Amino acid sequence: MEFQLSKKQIEFRDRLRALVEKEIAPKAEQIDRTGEYPIDGLKALVDFGVTGLTIPEEYGGNLKDYVTLCIAVEEISRGCLSTSAVTSIYHLGSSPFLIAGNETQKRTYLPLIAAGRKATSFGLTEPQSGSDVASIEATAVLKNDRYIINGHKIFIGNAGESDIYIVFAKTDVSKGARGISAFIVEKGTPGFEIGSIYSKMGLNGQRTGELFFNNCEVPKENLLGKEGEGFKIALETLNLARVSVAAQAVGVAQAALEESITFSEKREQFGRPIFNYQGIQFKIAKMATQTHAARLIMFDAAAKIDQGMTPVKECSMAKYYATEIANKVAYDAVQIFGGRGYLKGYPVERIYRDVRVLTLYEGTSEIQQMVISRELAKEYQDQA
């Protein structure tokens, strides 16, 4: 089936692309070099309405379809992956409220997220619990009308910058995954501290760090959903987030492709532009084809979400394929640039470092393959 963007989606893309090229892309190198938080770019995107794309109007957002969300994430990533990662925190953070929040929680927090006033981080990963979510050790004990949370979270995006944290902890350690619950913890709550902020290979404009909870007390009203529903909330949130990560990958792959074409048309060797050599042409043809295929598989998953489906397999396929391809395209881009591709100040060097994390967060490539094969097994069992 042929996939076509609507006129409204194309118009949205073109307006956002113009904004990114003017406000976001020119600052990408500086953000990477200094590690500064992309506050100016974020403000421009907030004014554009990007932070409210997944939130209904009744809660202060400007809800669009998931295809449009992917368009937005791709365009921002094409200009600066750090800025895109920071912006995507708002989409990731709103999902748990939309999935499991009660009316009071939605009306309290979603308007703040939509307006870009409050970012929300996702507190799931722990030192001994990464892909194995069920093994988290953080606990939450109900005492009178408050939950007391203890634990240690790592690899938390936007740590210290976010104001709201969705924290997963076990309310019943005997039940494994079914004993996990989700809580809303606001920055500044006694017993909650931000730990180390990591020094990373890339994605330097986005803060990633640790969270510590030492007898951190939150009102029982801060329980998101019901006790024991945390694992389900986490999986549903991550499934949606994987399509967004696929869009990040497509955007950065597109940027690497465009940089490669521009450079190869200008760079001369042996009396002519290197673009005229078949070896370079074949590389660029492969990069373009792979990027286009990744974009289509991403849109396929997003369109299924818009149709009211829960495309677990397709979301994992999109995340797996797009992020792996983005790494391959970035590698070929550096190869086309030759020695210059290894030098600071050239966009493909930054892209090469930034893109590496995409196969790791929101579920590694290996986890995506496990999910895909598991879903395929279910399909064949149903057919049988």
Side-chain angles (χ1 to χ4, degrees), residues 230-247:
F231 188 69
K232 177 176 177 288
I233 295 168
L235 291 186
E236 289 188 26
T237 300
L238 289 172
N239 191 54
L240 296 173
R242 284 166 183 163
V243 185
S244 180
V245 177

Side-chain angles (χ1 to χ4, degrees), residues 41-314:
L42 179 59
K43 183 180 183 304
L45 293 169
V46 167
D47 292 342
F48 191 87
V50 169
T51 51
L53 288 177
T54 57
I55 299 174
E57 291 183 11
E58 62 185 300
Y59 302 117
N62 56 320
L63 180 67
K64 305 290 184 186
D65 50 71
Y66 260 81
V67 169
T68 300
L69 173 65
C70 286
I71 292 170
V73 174
E74 178 186 341
E75 291 301 323
I76 301 166
S77 303
R78 177 173 163 267
C80 176
L81 191 58
S82 281
T83 303
S84 179
V86 169
T87 309
S88 292
I89 288 291
Y90 291 84
H91 310 140
L92 177 67
S94 65
S95 293
F97 290 103
L98 294 168
I99 291 168
N102 58 42
E103 194 64 19
T104 298
Q105 291 167 340
K106 289 178 181 178
R107 294 199 177 277
T108 299
Y109 294 104
L110 288 177
L112 298 173
I113 297 171
R117 293 171 55 193
K118 302 280 187 181
T120 305
S121 288
F122 195 71
L124 182 62
T125 304
E126 297 182 0
Q128 303 302 322
S129 173
S131 299
D132 182 11
V133 175
S135 68
I136 67 170
E137 297 176 351
T139 60
V141 178
L142 182 61
K143 186 176 181 180
N144 297 322
D145 61 347
R146 304 181 76 80
Y147 282 97
I148 302 173
I149 303 174
N150 284 281
H152 176 200
K153 302 292 182 178
I154 63 171
F155 297 141
I156 307 305
N158 233 43
E161 299 291 343
S162 289
D163 302 285
I164 308 161
Y165 295 79
I166 305 301
V167 179
F168 295 85
K170 284 183 175 174
T171 45
D172 189 337
V173 296
S174 69
K175 292 184 178 179
R178 295 182 180 179
I180 299 173
S181 301
F183 299 90
I184 305 164
V185 183
E186 296 192 35
K187 186 177 180 180
T189 301
F192 170 36
E193 295 183 0
I194 307 298
S196 300
I197 302 299
Y198 304 130
S199 177
K200 301 174 295 186
M201 175 192 295
L203 215 65
N204 291 320
Q206 188 227 37
R207 307 284 185 266
T208 307
E210 300 175 293
L211 311 178
F212 288 95
F213 301 89
N214 184 17
N215 292 324
C216 175
E217 296 187 17
V218 297
K220 66 179 182 180
E221 290 79 15
N222 283 30
L223 174 68
L224 197 59
K226 298 177 182 178
E227 282 196 8
E229 292 184 345
F231 188 69
K232 177 176 177 288
I233 295 168
L235 291 186
E236 289 188 26
T237 300
L238 289 172
N239 191 54
L240 296 173
R242 284 166 183 163
V243 185
S244 180
V245 177
Q248 290 179 356
V250 172
V252 78
Q254 183 66 36
L257 171 63
E258 292 172 0
E259 291 288 344
S260 298
I261 294 172
T262 300
F263 177 80
S264 63
E265 288 180 333
K266 293 179 179 178
R267 170 66 171 162
E268 291 191 3
Q269 287 289 275
F270 306 105
R272 55 177 174 162
I274 62 172
F275 185 84
N276 292 346
Y277 291 99
Q278 192 177 69
I280 301 298
Q281 291 172 350
F282 281 8
K283 273 191 191 310
I284 288 176
K286 181 180 69 172
M287 293 160 70
T289 302
Q290 291 172 330
T291 302
H292 183 61
R295 183 177 292 109
L296 290 178
I297 199 171
M298 169 196 77
F299 279 146
D300 175 67
K304 284 181 168 62
I305 293 172
D306 289 334
Q307 292 164 17
M309 302 168 64
T310 306
V312 175
K313 179 186 68 178
E314 288 82 356

Side-chain angles (χ1 to χ4, degrees), residues 3-12 65 67-68 71:
F3 184 89
Q4 293 287 343
L5 298 180
S6 69
K7 290 183 178 180
K8 286 186 177 180
Q9 289 167 336
I10 292 172
E11 190 270 338
F12 174 87
D65 50 71
V67 169
T68 300
I71 292 170

Side-chain angles (χ1 to χ4, degrees), residues 325-353:
I325 285 304
N327 274 271
K328 294 184 189 324
V329 170
Y331 178 93
D332 282 340
V334 172
Q335 202 68 17
I336 289 171
F337 271 71
R340 290 171 175 80
Y342 198 66
L343 299 179
K344 297 284 187 182
Y346 281 86
V348 296
E349 184 272 339
R350 167 175 46 83
I351 288 171
Y352 189 67
R353 286 182 290 103

